Amino acid sequence: MGIFDFFRKPRTWNWHYDRGMACGSGGKFDAALEHFKKAAEMAPGEPGPPYQLGYTYFLLKDFAKALPEFEKTQALTPGYFTVETDIDLCRRMLDGRLSLPALSILHQLLVASDSNQLGSPKSLTLAKQAVELAPDCPLAHFLFAKAVFATDPAESINAMQRCLEFGPDNTTAIQARLMIGTHLYSAGHPDQAFEMWRSILRDYSYHPLMALVNFHLNQYGKATPGQAGPS
């Protein structure tokens, strides 16, 4: 051991995780994979490392390797981040139900959603293309419903219902039902809205998104029916 090694702090799983995130952000995916693998080995009970490992494989379009990492994450922490949606997308890619062009558009829409840009004209065009390319993909209908949420409530509800009919992952299903409730409340049907939200609590009590559902119940309970509440 050299003299400088004596003063060097040991590299923890958090260190490898942070390095993996930095490498991934810089497009250095091979290095990111190695750091996430090391972090997962050092902290087998943490959901973050296998999730980011799976997501890096996902970005590399290696869905066969991404899926088991996402499944490990789900086993450790059900409903972690967007892992349920990621599992569904991987399975659709692996069994041929989803094409790469459709996946690319869905990814663009998810990025737009994260930055609150899903209501833009460009996003609406992409959302329509997603539905055309993947008419049986629940996520495509969900993202289209979000794209028209503010401009066409009736069409948004119809799209959310189509999403639910195609059997979405739990994360997408919760958000779809939550947004249908929001539309119902804004249309002056608070009883139906509250029943919709309470049914989510009954069906998905384990899920981290229950905090958001409870937030809606509490906030809308203080608002006037027919007025917009929290989004």
Side-chain angles (χ1 to χ4, degrees), residues 123-230:
S123 292
L124 178 57
T125 298
L126 287 173
K128 290 178 179 178
Q129 292 175 0
V131 172
E132 291 173 359
L133 288 171
D136 61 348
C137 178
L139 184 63
H141 293 283
F142 172 75
L143 291 169
F144 174 76
K146 289 192 71 174
V148 298
F149 182 86
T151 58
D152 194 340
E155 183 56 32
S156 180
I157 290 177
N158 289 335
M160 290 290 180
Q161 290 173 337
R162 287 194 294 273
C163 164
L164 294 172
E165 289 170 1
F166 282 113
D169 64 274
N170 289 348
T171 295
T172 301
I174 291 167
Q175 294 182 80
R177 290 165 64 176
L178 187 65
M179 292 177 68
I180 289 174
T182 302
H183 280 307
L184 290 171
Y185 190 95
S186 296
H189 305 291
D191 291 342
Q192 294 179 43
F194 279 110
E195 177 51 34
M196 174 68 73
W197 294 330
R198 292 190 186 103
S199 72
I200 300 173
L201 294 177
R202 291 193 296 268
D203 294 343
Y204 304 97
S205 59
Y206 78 92
H207 205 283
L209 283 177
M210 292 309 95
L212 181 60
V213 177
N214 277 311
F215 174 78
H216 273 65
L217 283 166
N218 292 332
Q219 291 300 309
Y220 276 98
K222 300 174 184 177
T224 301
Q227 294 181 345

Side-chain angles (χ1 to χ4, degrees), residues 63-78:
F63 306 109
K65 288 184 178 178
L67 180 57
E69 299 303 329
F70 287 146
E71 290 175 334
K72 289 177 188 175
T73 306
Q74 176 69 0
L76 287 169
T77 305

Side-chain angles (χ1 to χ4, degrees), residues 37-112:
K37 287 176 183 177
K38 189 63 177 178
E41 291 173 2
M42 297 175 71
E46 292 289 337
Y51 177 79
Q52 292 299 336
L53 182 56
Y55 189 67
T56 304
Y57 281 129
F58 188 89
L59 292 176
L60 293 170
K61 300 180 177 59
D62 193 339
F63 306 109
K65 288 184 178 178
L67 180 57
E69 299 303 329
F70 287 146
E71 290 175 334
K72 289 177 188 175
T73 306
Q74 176 69 0
L76 287 169
T77 305
Y80 180 81
F81 197 39
T82 61
V83 70
E84 292 172 331
T85 304
D86 298 320
I87 287 173
D88 184 64
L89 290 174
C90 275
R91 289 174 176 168
R92 289 175 182 275
M93 290 302 302
L94 289 171
D95 64 20
R97 288 178 292 160
L98 192 64
S99 66
L100 278 175
L103 179 66
S104 176
I105 291 175
L106 290 173
H107 185 262
Q108 292 179 65
L109 290 169
L110 288 170
V111 171

